[in-house]
Amino acid sequence: MSMFCYQCQEAAGGKGCTGKGVCGKTQDVAKTQDLLIYITKGISIYSTKAREVGIVNKEVNNFIVESLFSTITNANFDNKALTERVKKGLKLRQEMKEQLIKAGIKVGSAENDNWLSKLLKFAGVKTKEEENLHEAATWFADNAEEFSKKAEKVGILSTENEDIRSLRELLIYGLKGMAAYLHHANNLGYDDDNSHAFMQKALVSTLNDNLSGDDLTAIVLECGKYGVDVMALLDKANTSTYGNPEITKVNIGVRNKPGILISGHDLKDLEELLKQTEGKGVDVYTHSEMLPAHYYPAFKKYTHFAGNYGNAWWKQDKEFESFNGPILMTTNCIVPPKNSYKDRMYTTVATGFDGVKHIPEGKNGKAKDFSQIIEQAKKCKPPVEIEKGEIVGGFAHNQVLALADKVVDAVKSGAIKRFFVMAGCDGRMKSRNYYTDFAKALPKDAVILTAGCAKYKYNKLDLGDIGGIPRVLDAGQCNDSYSLAVIALKLKEVFGLEDINELPISYNIAWYEQKAVIVLLALLHLGVKNIHLGPTLPAFLSPNVAKVLVENFGIGGITNVEDDLKMFMGEK
Ligand code: FSO
Ligand code: SF4
C-alpha cells in the first residue's frame, strides 16, 4: 500500500497525498511517521494508567511531544532519524511498562484485572481476552523492514469509517499543534502536566473502536481547551523570559557582514544563537515565523541582530540561495533544500532532513553548540539584498491593551468599523493571493489583526493607518493568535458585551498545517463563531464532520473577495 496523508491544506487534489507528498515527504518518511504516531499511542496506554497511580514519567512526556512535533508538515524529512525515534519509543514503552510493574501493578496477573479491564475499556480493545492489551501497547519489532510492514497497517486509512477517521485525525492534528507549542514552552522551563495527561489520554482514545462520533467530537472540543492552556503557557513563557512584545520597526534590508538566518518558531534557539554570535563578526537575521522575535525587548540589546530576510516559508528555495550564509531551521516549515544551499542548512530537535546537518541538544543541561554554524558563516559572503525598508509589528495583547483607549475611541467614533482576524499560515498555492486581494479591498476603516506567516501576504503593502493605529496589527507568530483572543476578550469586557461574537470582528483565517488546527480548536473553545477558513477546507473533514462544524460553529470556507467582503460586512 502506498502512503496516505491528508493532514495539511496542500493535500494532493484536495484529497490526500499518495505517491509523494506535495511537501516533498517520501513514502518511507510518511510510513515511519505513521508508525511513530502509533507507538506514541501505545506508550500512552501505559502512561495514562501510570498517572492514575501517581506516576508521571517526564521522559515519556517529552518523547510524545517531540514525536508529535516531528510529524507536523514540513518539520522532519529524515527517515533515519524518525526510525531511530521509533526504536527509542519502543524502548520507552517497555520502560514505562516496567515502571508500572515495579509499582506493584503486575501486567497480565490476576491482580491487574481491575485496572487492566478499565484500561482496556478506555483503549477500546477488540480482543475477546481482556488480558490482551491493544496491539499498540504490545507490538514489537527491531528492524526497518518490519517497521515498514507494520506502518502500512496502522496509517490513517486503517480506520474504515470516514467520519470516525476524520474525527480521530482532527484530534491527532490538534494534538500535534499543541505539542509544538508545549515544546517551545518546555524549552523555556514552563510545563503543564494536565496538558501532557490530556494529550496522552486523547491519543489512547483514537484507538478506541467503542467511541461514537459524538464521544470523539467531545474529545476534539476538549482539545480546544487544552489548546488555549498551552498557548497561554507559551505566552507566559515567552513574555516572562523575553518581556512583552512592543511596537517595533524591523529592517528588511541587509548589512555588509556575513549573516546567519534563523527560521522556525523557537525563541530559546534564537537567544542561544544571539549569545554565541556576539562579537564574532557575523549578523543574525530572522526568516518567516522568526520575524516577531524582533518585537521582544530582550533581543533588542544585540546589535548584530540585523533584521528580517525574505518572506513566508515557501519562498525559501530562492531566498536561502541569495542569503549566502548558513540557515538554522528551529522548527517547520522546511522546503526540501536545493543542493546550492543544502550544505549551509542546519536542523535541530524535531526538525530534520536527510543529508542536512543536525544540531543536537546540549549535554548535561548545557546550551546547544552552534559553533560550526558560526565558523561556516565567517567564510560566507554577506546576503544579497532582495528588498529594502522596514515593517512594523509587535501588537501582542500587552501592547494593544496599552493602546486600548485609543482603539476603543476609534471604534466608538466610527473611525474603525471592523476588525478582520486574518491570522494563520501562508503557502504555495496561487489561490492564496486571495488574501492579498482581500487586504487591499478592505474598506479604509477596517483593521487587520494578524499572527503567523499568513501576514506575508499583506504586511509589505502600504495600507496606512487610522489615527496613528496601523491597519495591519501583527501580534506575532501563529501561537500568538492567543494574543488576538485576549484582545477580543478585553474588547468584549470594555464594550460590556455578553458574547464575544457581538464584537465587530470577522475571522478570515488562512490555514496550512496542524498548528492552525489547534488555533482553530482553541478559538472554538473560546466561543468564537463564524470563522472562515481558506483557501480550501481541510481534506480531513468528512462531509458529516464538516456539517457538524458548520451547524454548531458557523465554520465556512471562502469564495471570492467581492462576495466575501459583502458577507463579512453584513451586506449579504
Ligand atoms: Fe507558518 Fe509553517 Fe507558524 Fe505553521 S511557518 S505554516 S501554522 O509552520 O506554524 O505559521
Ligand atoms: Fe501531502 Fe500535506 Fe501530508 Fe505533505 S503534509 S504529504 S503535502 S498532506
Side-chain angles (χ1 to χ4, degrees):
M1 196 178 78
S2 64
M3 67 180 272
F4 181 80
C5 178
Y6 64 175
Q7 66 176 356
C8 85
Q9 189 273 326
E10 292 185 356
K15 292 200 158 39
C17 298
T18 50
K20 189 184 180 190
V22 173
C23 58
K25 188 155 87 173
T26 59
Q27 296 269 339
D28 284 354
V29 169
K31 287 180 189 172
T32 312
Q33 289 187 347
D34 285 348
L35 185 62
L36 183 57
I37 295 289
Y38 185 68
I39 302 298
T40 62
K41 294 177 187 179
I43 302 172
S44 296
I45 291 180
Y46 293 107
S47 61
T48 299
K49 177 64 210 166
R51 263 197 183 77
E52 274 178 32
V53 292
I55 300 170
V56 175
N57 184 323
K58 292 209 168 153
E59 203 184 341
V60 162
N61 287 353
N62 188 37
F63 178 83
I64 289 175
V65 162
E66 236 175 73
S67 298
L68 290 175
F69 195 2
S70 67
T71 67
I72 276 189
T73 301
N74 292 340
N76 203 315
F77 297 83
D78 185 344
N79 195 39
K80 242 201 204 147
L82 290 162
T83 304
E84 284 311 306
R85 198 173 267 286
V86 167
K87 288 185 184 161
K88 188 175 169 199
L90 288 168
K91 195 165 154 262
L92 259 183
R93 193 188 66 190
Q94 181 61 20
E95 282 169 23
M96 193 69 251
K97 183 173 159 187
E98 281 163 15
Q99 220 179 338
L100 275 173
I101 295 171
K102 248 198 207 147
I105 299 166
K106 291 182 194 124
V107 182
S109 78
E111 297 157 49
N112 296 323
D113 278 359
N114 206 13
W115 80 258
L116 199 56
S117 61
K118 266 208 294 184
L119 183 62
L120 290 168
K121 230 171 156 191
F122 185 58
V125 178
K126 282 190 268 182
T127 49
K128 290 188 196 103
E129 334 282 333
E130 284 209 329
E131 308 80 272
N132 287 337
L133 277 166
H134 191 283
E135 241 209 317
T138 57
W139 174 84
F140 182 81
D142 61 0
N143 61 77
E145 204 181 315
E146 291 297 317
F147 286 178
S148 173
K149 275 196 216 152
K150 187 67 185 171
E152 293 192 0
K153 299 203 176 86
V154 299
I156 295 167
L157 298 178
S158 62
T159 302
E160 280 168 22
N161 179 305
E162 72 162 349
D163 297 327
I164 298 294
R165 184 197 305 148
S166 174
L167 288 163
R168 284 181 177 176
E169 294 305 316
L170 174 58
L171 178 57
I172 289 171
Y173 304 153
L175 297 175
K176 288 186 184 193
M178 229 180 108
Y181 296 150
L182 190 52
H183 192 269
H184 296 310
N186 289 169
N187 281 350
L188 294 173
Y190 289 74
D191 206 359
D192 169 35
D193 195 57
N194 289 331
S195 296
H196 289 290
F198 172 77
M199 198 176 271
Q200 292 162 25
K201 200 170 115 175
L203 280 169
V204 177
S205 76
T206 65
L207 295 170
N208 189 339
D209 288 333
N210 297 326
L211 293 180
S212 65
D214 286 350
D215 296 335
L216 280 169
T217 305
I219 303 173
V220 166
L221 296 178
E222 196 183 353
C223 188
K225 175 205 170 296
Y226 288 96
V228 174
D229 290 355
V230 162
M231 280 193 274
L233 182 76
L234 179 54
D235 182 79
K236 189 171 159 207
N238 285 339
T239 55
S240 317
T241 315
Y242 304 119
N244 273 299
E246 51 196 24
I247 304 176
T248 307
K249 286 184 183 159
V250 181
N251 171 35
I252 55 172
V254 299
R255 297 181 185 169
N256 56 9
K257 283 185 189 158
I260 297 173
L261 192 58
I262 178 166
S263 190
H265 305 69
D266 200 285
L267 297 182
K268 179 74 188 163
D269 282 338
L270 171 71
E271 182 188 11
E272 269 313 319
L273 183 66
L274 285 171
K275 275 189 196 161
Q276 293 180 30
T277 44
E278 234 180 341
K280 298 277 166 58
V282 296
D283 289 323
V284 172
Y285 294 81
T286 54
H287 169 258
S288 190
E289 273 285 72
M290 202 54 95
L291 157 69
H294 292 277
Y295 313 154
Y296 287 91
F299 301 128
K300 292 187 173 164
K301 64 173 184 258
Y302 296 100
T303 52
H304 64 299
F305 194 27
N308 188 70
Y309 190 83
N311 293 278
W313 65 272
W314 59 279
K315 290 188 176 169
Q316 66 187 249
D317 56 341
K318 288 201 178 62
E319 294 170 352
F320 287 1
E321 210 158 51
S322 61
F323 183 74
N324 286 335
I327 305 121
L328 172 63
M329 300 299 303
T330 65
T331 68
N332 57 337
C333 282
I334 297 176
V335 172
K338 286 187 187 163
N339 286 336
S340 56
Y341 59 82
K342 195 172 180 183
D343 69 329
R344 288 191 268 120
M345 198 157 148
Y346 295 80
T347 58
T348 187
V349 197
T351 55
F353 197 95
D354 196 18
V356 166
K357 291 175 278 285
H358 188 82
I359 306 288
E361 288 288 358
K363 292 221 168 80
N364 306 323
K366 282 209 184 117
K368 282 180 195 168
D369 179 3
F370 293 128
S371 55
Q372 54 172 320
I373 306 184
I374 300 167
E375 286 316 306
Q376 186 178 26
K378 287 180 186 167
K379 295 182 206 125
C380 292
K381 283 192 278 183
V384 173
E385 191 155 78
I386 49 174
E387 51 196 346
K388 264 189 177 24
E390 287 174 332
I391 42 181
V392 182
F395 296 93
H397 56 87
N398 191 274
Q399 177 65 81
V400 174
L401 297 183
L403 299 171
D405 291 347
K406 220 174 164 181
V407 174
V408 169
D409 286 350
V411 174
K412 284 189 176 153
S413 72
I416 295 179
K417 285 254 165 50
R418 185 156 280 276
F419 295 94
F420 283 83
V421 172
M422 289 178 68
C425 331
D426 199 6
R428 304 177 181 90
M429 281 187 173
K430 287 233 162 36
S431 54
R432 287 182 186 264
N433 290 337
Y434 163 95
Y435 295 102
T436 309
D437 298 339
F438 189 87
K440 284 185 187 162
L442 279 174
K444 298 278 173 281
D445 51 14
V447 169
I448 296 173
L449 300 174
T450 193
C453 60
K455 64 167 95 37
Y456 286 98
K457 276 281 184 274
Y458 43 78
N459 69 344
K460 292 170 186 173
L461 302 175
D462 186 11
L463 295 179
D465 63 279
I466 300 174
I469 303 167
R471 287 192 53 228
V472 178
L473 299 180
D474 177 21
Q477 299 179 333
C478 45
N479 41 292
D480 295 309
S481 303
Y482 168 76
S483 234
L484 302 180
V486 172
I487 293 167
L489 290 168
K490 187 71 194 171
L491 288 177
K492 176 188 140 199
E493 192 187 307
V494 174
F495 288 110
L497 303 173
E498 291 276 297
D499 183 345
I500 195 168
N501 297 298
E502 290 168 30
L503 285 166
I505 304 182
S506 300
Y507 295 81
N508 193 6
I509 290 180
W511 83 284
Y512 172 56
E513 45 88 321
Q514 300 79 55
K515 285 181 239 177
V517 175
I518 194 63
V519 170
L520 174 71
L521 295 178
L523 289 175
L524 296 184
H525 176 76
L526 292 171
V528 177
K529 296 227 158 95
N530 304 321
I531 296 172
H532 287 258
L533 284 181
T536 53
L537 286 178
F540 55 81
L541 293 181
S542 68
N544 285 330
V545 172
K547 198 164 158 242
V548 170
L549 293 176
V550 171
E551 282 171 3
N552 294 298
F553 301 100
I555 299 259
I558 58 168
T559 59
N560 60 72
V561 170
E562 205 184 322
D563 289 344
D564 288 352
L565 257 180
K566 283 187 190 148
M567 178 267 300
F568 283 121
M569 301 306 276
E571 296 162 15
K572 218 179 124 182

